[in-house]
Amino acid sequence: MATVLPTAGAAGMLPPRNATAQVTPRGNISSAASVVCYSPMMVTAYGIWQGVNPLEFSLPLFILQTAIIVATTRLLVLLLKPIRQPRVIAEILAGVILGPSVMGQVEVWATTVFPLRSLLTLETVAHLGLLYFLFLVGLEMDVNVIKRSGTKALIIAVAGMALPFCIGTATSFIFRHQVSKNVHQASFLLFLGVALSVTAFPVLARILAEIKLLNSDLGRIAMSAAIVNDMCAWILLALAIAISEVNSSAFSSLWVLLAGVVFVLVCFYAVRPLMWWLVRRVPEGETISDVHVTLILTGVMVAGVCTDAIGIHSVFGAFVYGLVIPSGQLGVVLIEKLEDFVTGLLLPLFFAISGLRTNVTRVRDPVTVGLLVLVFTMASFAKIMGTILIAISYTMTFRDGVALGFLMNTRGLVEMIVLNIGRDKEVLDDESFAVMVLVSVAMTALVTPVVTTVYRPARRLVGYKRRNLQRSKHDAELRMLACVHTTRNVPSIISLLELSNPTKRSPIFIYALHLVELTGRASNMLAAHHSASSQSRSAASSDHIFNAFESYEESVGGVSIQALTAVSPYQTMHEDVSVLAEDKHVSLIVLPFHKQQTVDGGMEPINASLRGFNESILAAAPCSVGILVDRGLSAAAARMASVHHVALLFFGGPDDREGLAYAWRMVEHPGVCLTIVRFIPPDYKAPAPAPQHHMAPPPRGAPAASNVHARAITIVPDAAKSERQMDEEYMSEFRTRNVGNDAILYMEQVVANSEETLAAIRDLDSAHELYIVGRHPGEEGSPLTSALAEWMESPELGPIGDLLVSSEFSKMVSVLVMQQYVITTPQPAVGPAVPVTDDPVRQYVTNANQRTAVTGRAGWGGSAADF
């Protein structure tokens, strides 16, 4: 059992600051600390039935502490999520709440749950977690980013470090007798300068992703600058640790620095080539073996031991070791094996240790507190002002400069490490430590609300008319946004592109958007940042996806592909997709179905969140949407076939017309045979054609010197067209334009109810590999589909699409479900005449000024008249 024995002359003194640092470098027991003795036999309990309290044994107590810390952290994360605070805030606050500042005031809690004797075990495991987390941070950083980041990010990073370092240390030096009592003053200034100038790169990445600025210009500059800042901060920290040895001579500090430089050189010029050799030995398509992964992870601890022996903190060794690991497949494997366990379970222990050391009740001197807050505020103000000045010199707006300045003020893990090391080395006292922790939390908490308030990205007014395929010419350029979740989605998208007849005369421009769920993993955010910056991508799935599309682009003419990555929670991912579609003037968004085909032909869900994402896109998209259900379309046999059979089931309505528009593009392909099955009720009569535009003659007796142009005409608006009229007109146009085309088979099927519809679809030829259907076929409440609509399992596919992919349907067919973006144009009363002039520019302006306001929404009925 652990007992606390006060040393001679130490009676009544405070508990030790660091249970692991009780022996001075000269081997003498510190007179200012207590000696904690541990019995090796008291690790596991003998059971409560033996009359023994399990919490008196180290392992049960440690397990209980870990559970309480993780649960408290998760609870605070949920509470702070509505105000969009980063997780690091919750982790630090959890430690403060569980520590002596709040819960520690309850004596039973302090002596039972977090007794002094338990801190050695807790702190050891916490530092092990910190070691591996810093290894992950180094692993996720690209060493070459400094070369690629450009002068702007480099200057912003240097200005963001130099100004707060100088002003912070200068202010501290002026008030050194008040703020650095009983500590080594030069070391205090150095540690304070590093703590004030650092930017927390992992925290910044999460904040940018949360507020959807990761792929913006501001986000890219902030990320690049933060990476440079982080690397400089580690160099400064190593210098500060070497110089701050109070009991060492200047000569020994020099040896520490030289040994640190040698360690970095060995890592980069010996370990890094070894890792590249290891990567090159792994065959293409295979993952690295578990033996090699284990050896690499053991190397983390070896690197930590080396830097600890040198005299620099062990986390520095783990960080440098992570930097030299090549990104790519090896990096992804290591991140996937470590990240969730380290960040979810071990890292909160470190923040809890920081919180247990933060005792607000020790903050008693208002002068010291006020001056420390003043120093921190001055340094933060210097960083913000320096960043604003640099940003303005690069022609950024003042608002963008303020937002960037606050982003560069993000605090977090690195600052906590600096403060903890300073406290361990007795450079910071309890009071200074507590104040610095609380002020850092307050500063980081301000970042998100300030940036979201100040930053207003300049978005141009987006207006384009080709928001659906029916409004576009069938042989015009098609802009398509293809959403991809996994590598399994790629072959079916490429197969659909091949059927869409991309040629130089009718090209297709594809935005291949890899959607990555934001789960708090820094690797996801790095993937987005790197792909947006045209840097090496750390996510292997993005690599495979983009390579597949690039190879397809090289092999086929008439296709241009731009690969993009979006990182967002599934709940808000549809907003990113909609904004991108509008910015890129996309006519069609193609989404993969949320289920995939199994070996036995059934359909199983991939991810429960994908269904909600697809439904949100259908409701909010600024253009037409197609949901692709792959049930053999991506198979090699189907792709290599010389003839492709496509069927269009036409009931009428805007969605079915959109399907016909897409089929029209496909039928231009020499290897596509199209079958159009039109379902009509028994009493169907073709509607009379709608009246067309006509010219009204000028008023009789109008004076020749009239202010109206002599060649002006008056446009009388169309009468409102019914859905049936528009169906008939579009189908007639299609059939007229394709007279004599043997690749098109048109047939009409008379059905009276849903049962006959089902029977007619089942009787169709089974040779078709793709069915195109509308999401809302025919008129609302039509007896042809009403019964089918009542039994839908997937409403996003509509009644016909849901039927085709259901287990009751015997055929294994791929389905493309179309939803047309419909612009509803209210019919105005006949107004004043619209003059037609000789000048086309003036005519365009006149028409634009007198055009009726047009409002649009996805999936609604109404007129589809062109502008």
Side-chain angles (χ1 to χ4, degrees):
M1 184 160 176
T3 56
V4 181
L5 303 175
T7 57
M13 296 198 69
L14 299 176
R17 292 182 178 180
N18 183 359
T20 63
Q22 300 306 324
V23 181
T24 62
R26 298 175 184 174
N28 299 325
I29 296 175
S30 172
S31 60
S34 302
V35 178
V36 182
C37 301
Y38 285 84
S39 169
M41 302 302 294
M42 302 295 287
V43 176
T44 56
Y46 304 118
I48 57 173
W49 312 115
Q50 303 290 333
V52 180
N53 182 5
L55 297 183
E56 292 180 357
F57 296 79
S58 58
L59 184 61
L61 183 59
F62 169 73
I63 294 172
L64 177 66
Q65 290 171 338
T66 304
I68 290 173
I69 290 167
V70 173
T72 307
T73 301
R74 288 295 171 186
L75 179 62
L76 286 174
V77 167
L78 290 175
L79 293 176
L80 294 176
K81 194 173 184 179
I83 55 175
R84 304 171 86 176
Q85 290 300 324
R87 196 171 75 179
V88 67
I89 298 290
E91 290 169 334
I92 297 173
L93 288 179
V96 173
I97 290 170
L98 296 174
S101 301
V102 183
M103 296 298 295
Q105 298 296 313
V106 181
E107 188 176 349
V108 177
W109 176 273
T111 56
T112 306
V113 183
F114 286 99
L116 178 64
R117 59 186 167 80
S118 68
L119 295 186
L120 178 63
T121 306
L122 192 63
E123 192 170 343
T124 303
V125 179
H127 275 82
L128 184 67
L130 183 64
L131 202 70
Y132 277 100
F133 182 76
L134 265 298
F135 166 70
L136 288 175
V137 171
L139 188 64
E140 290 163 349
M141 278 191 186
D142 188 356
V143 181
N144 298 319
V145 75
I146 298 178
K147 299 176 186 175
R148 300 194 190 107
S149 57
T151 55
K152 184 191 292 188
L154 198 61
I155 292 174
I156 288 173
V158 171
M161 287 201 75
L163 282 173
F165 187 90
C166 296
I167 289 183
T169 49
T171 314
S172 305
F173 182 75
I174 294 170
F175 302 112
R176 61 188 181 279
H177 297 299
Q178 286 79 22
V179 298
S180 58
K181 295 179 288 187
N182 305 320
V183 295
H184 192 271
Q185 289 182 358
S187 303
F188 175 81
L189 295 179
L190 199 55
F191 267 92
L192 195 65
V194 176
L196 292 172
S197 58
V198 74
T199 297
F201 160 72
V203 181
L204 177 64
R206 286 170 175 81
I207 289 176
L208 287 172
E210 182 68 28
I211 59 180
K212 299 187 180 300
L213 293 181
L214 195 62
N215 288 325
S216 65
D217 293 335
L218 182 72
R220 284 193 284 271
I221 294 170
M223 284 281 280
S224 300
I227 291 174
V228 177
N229 186 299
D230 226 18
M231 291 189 178
C232 295
W234 283 108
I235 296 169
L236 282 176
L237 179 59
L239 287 170
I241 293 171
I243 296 170
S244 67
E245 293 294 341
V246 180
N247 298 318
S248 65
S249 62
F251 194 66
S252 63
S253 295
L254 180 63
W255 277 116
V256 170
L257 287 175
L258 290 176
V261 171
V262 170
F263 172 80
V264 173
L265 293 176
V266 168
C267 282
F268 274 93
Y269 293 101
V271 178
R272 189 174 177 84
L274 182 65
M275 294 298 166
W276 275 114
W277 175 79
L278 193 65
V279 169
R280 283 192 289 268
R281 285 193 61 195
V282 178
E284 182 68 28
E286 294 185 16
T287 57
I288 190 168
S289 67
D290 290 341
V291 176
H292 291 143
V293 170
T294 306
L295 289 174
I296 292 170
L297 296 183
T298 307
V300 178
M301 291 182 278
V302 174
V305 168
C306 289
T307 48
D308 218 359
I310 288 169
I312 308 174
H313 201 279
S314 56
V315 295
F316 180 77
F319 175 73
V320 174
Y321 182 70
L323 279 178
V324 302
I325 304 291
S327 59
Q329 185 63 30
L330 177 59
V332 169
V333 170
L334 293 171
I335 289 169
E336 287 179 350
K337 288 185 179 294
L338 277 179
E339 188 165 30
D340 291 331
F341 179 71
V342 171
T343 57
L345 194 66
L346 297 183
L347 191 62
L349 300 183
F350 173 74
F351 287 108
I353 287 290
S354 301
L356 291 169
R357 293 172 162 196
T358 306
N359 193 348
V360 180
T361 59
R362 296 279 172 87
V363 181
R364 292 174 182 150
D365 188 356
V367 176
T368 304
V369 174
L371 290 175
L372 274 173
V373 173
L374 174 65
V375 169
F376 196 98
T377 307
M378 289 285 290
S380 300
F381 181 73
K383 178 174 276 198
I384 293 171
M385 288 308 298
T387 309
I388 289 173
L389 293 175
I390 298 296
I392 290 175
S393 68
Y394 278 102
T395 67
M396 291 174 68
T397 64
F398 179 76
R399 279 177 169 269
D400 289 1
V402 172
L404 187 58
F406 271 90
L407 285 171
M408 296 304 291
N409 254 313
T410 304
R411 315 285 171 169
L413 180 71
V414 182
E415 186 174 20
M416 287 295 108
I417 294 170
V418 173
L419 295 177
N420 273 283
I421 293 173
R423 191 178 185 278
D424 290 345
K425 294 185 175 295
E426 300 184 353
V427 172
L428 299 175
D429 56 9
D430 290 339
E431 196 170 36
S432 302
F433 181 83
V435 172
M436 292 296 286
V437 168
L438 295 177
V439 177
S440 299
V441 170
M443 186 67 233
T444 307
L446 276 176
V447 172
T448 303
V450 169
V451 172
T452 50
T453 304
V454 170
Y455 183 62
R456 292 283 185 272
R459 283 197 60 204
R460 63 186 183 280
L461 180 64
V462 178
Y464 65 104
K465 73 176 186 176
R466 291 180 182 174
R467 291 175 182 263
N468 60 40
L469 301 181
Q470 187 184 345
R471 297 167 68 88
S472 309
K473 294 180 181 179
H474 65 275
D475 57 353
E477 179 195 53
L478 172 62
R479 287 177 170 262
M480 185 189 298
L481 177 62
C483 296
V484 178
H485 298 284
T486 65
T487 51
R488 286 196 62 168
N489 303 142
V490 177
S492 57
I493 298 286
I494 290 178
S495 297
L496 183 66
L497 292 179
E498 289 176 351
L499 294 176
S500 304
N501 190 38
T503 62
K504 292 184 178 179
R505 180 169 163 266
S506 58
I508 301 180
F509 200 99
I510 307 295
Y511 296 95
L513 183 64
H514 181 207
L515 300 174
V516 181
E517 183 185 9
L518 173 62
T519 58
R521 296 170 72 104
S523 54
N524 292 346
M525 287 164 257
L526 261 300
H529 173 62
H530 287 164
S531 60
S533 307
S534 301
Q535 299 167 1
S536 60
R537 305 176 185 92
S538 63
S541 58
S542 292
D543 243 349
H544 293 313
I545 289 168
F546 296 157
N547 288 339
F549 279 110
E550 286 167 6
S551 61
Y552 174 70
E553 180 184 14
E554 292 170 1
S555 62
V556 178
V559 174
S560 298
I561 297 178
Q562 182 178 350
L564 303 165
T565 304
V567 180
S568 183
Y570 278 127
Q571 291 78 11
T572 59
M573 193 178 279
H574 64 279
E575 298 173 7
D576 297 340
V577 175
S578 298
V579 168
L580 180 66
E582 195 160 10
D583 286 344
K584 302 298 185 183
H585 290 198
V586 168
S587 300
L588 179 66
I589 299 173
V590 177
L591 306 172
F593 189 46
H594 72 274
K595 293 181 181 179
Q596 63 186 10
Q597 188 176 17
T598 57
V599 178
D600 60 354
M603 300 292 287
E604 65 175 7
I606 308 170
N607 186 330
S609 303
L610 295 186
R611 181 173 185 171
F613 164 72
N614 286 354
E615 290 173 347
S616 299
I617 287 287
L618 289 168
C623 60
S624 293
V625 180
I627 296 181
L628 181 60
V629 185
D630 178 20
R631 301 182 77 190
L633 186 66
S634 60
R639 295 178 64 186
M640 298 300 292
S642 58
V643 178
H644 303 277
H645 295 274
V646 180
L648 170 69
L649 307 184
F650 191 91
F651 290 82
D655 294 348
D656 281 21
R657 291 196 299 273
E658 192 73 359
L660 178 59
Y662 200 78
W664 196 339
R665 172 175 280 274
M666 284 184 173
V667 84
E668 302 285 336
H669 192 291
V672 170
C673 292
L674 175 65
T675 301
I676 300 176
V677 183
R678 186 173 186 185
F679 295 85
I680 56 177
D683 56 347
Y684 180 79
K685 292 180 181 179
Q692 302 296 318
H693 288 298
H694 67 275
M695 291 182 293
R700 181 176 298 178
S706 172
N707 55 358
V708 179
H709 195 279
R711 295 175 60 190
I713 60 173
T714 303
I715 304 296
V716 179
D718 283 350
K721 293 180 182 179
S722 67
E723 288 294 335
R724 284 193 176 186
Q725 284 175 326
M726 288 189 284
D727 292 341
E728 201 67 41
E729 285 181 9
Y730 199 57
M731 183 62 77
S732 299
E733 182 185 358
F734 172 80
R735 296 181 66 186
T736 304
R737 296 277 187 93
N738 291 282
V739 170
N741 191 340
D742 296 334
I744 300 175
L745 173 63
Y746 176 82
M747 53 191 292
E748 292 184 351
Q749 192 79 36
V750 179
V751 289
N753 51 46
S754 299
E755 289 76 12
E756 293 183 11
T757 300
L758 176 58
I761 294 175
R762 281 182 169 165
D763 291 340
L764 290 176
D765 187 4
S766 60
H768 300 108
E769 58 194 78
L770 177 67
Y771 278 70
I772 302 176
V773 299
R775 186 184 176 213
H776 300 289
E779 299 172 354
E780 187 176 355
S782 168
L784 277 60
T785 58
S786 57
L788 296 174
E790 294 175 1
W791 297 96
M792 287 190 297
E793 292 181 3
S794 302
E796 66 270 26
L797 298 181
I800 305 300
D802 183 74
L803 168 68
L804 291 172
V805 301
S806 67
S807 56
E808 299 175 2
F809 195 69
S810 57
K811 298 182 180 123
M812 300 286 293
V813 294
S814 298
V815 182
L816 178 64
V817 180
M818 301 294 292
Q819 174 182 280
Q820 185 182 71
Y821 178 88
V822 180
I823 294 186
T824 58
T825 310
Q827 294 297 327
V830 177
V834 180
V836 177
T837 70
D838 289 331
D839 186 356
V841 177
R842 186 179 300 170
Q843 178 64 46
Y844 175 81
V845 174
T846 304
N847 292 345
N849 290 335
Q850 302 211 10
R851 185 179 297 149
T852 307
V854 177
T855 59
R857 70 181 175 96
W860 289 5
S863 171
D866 207 339
F867 283 129

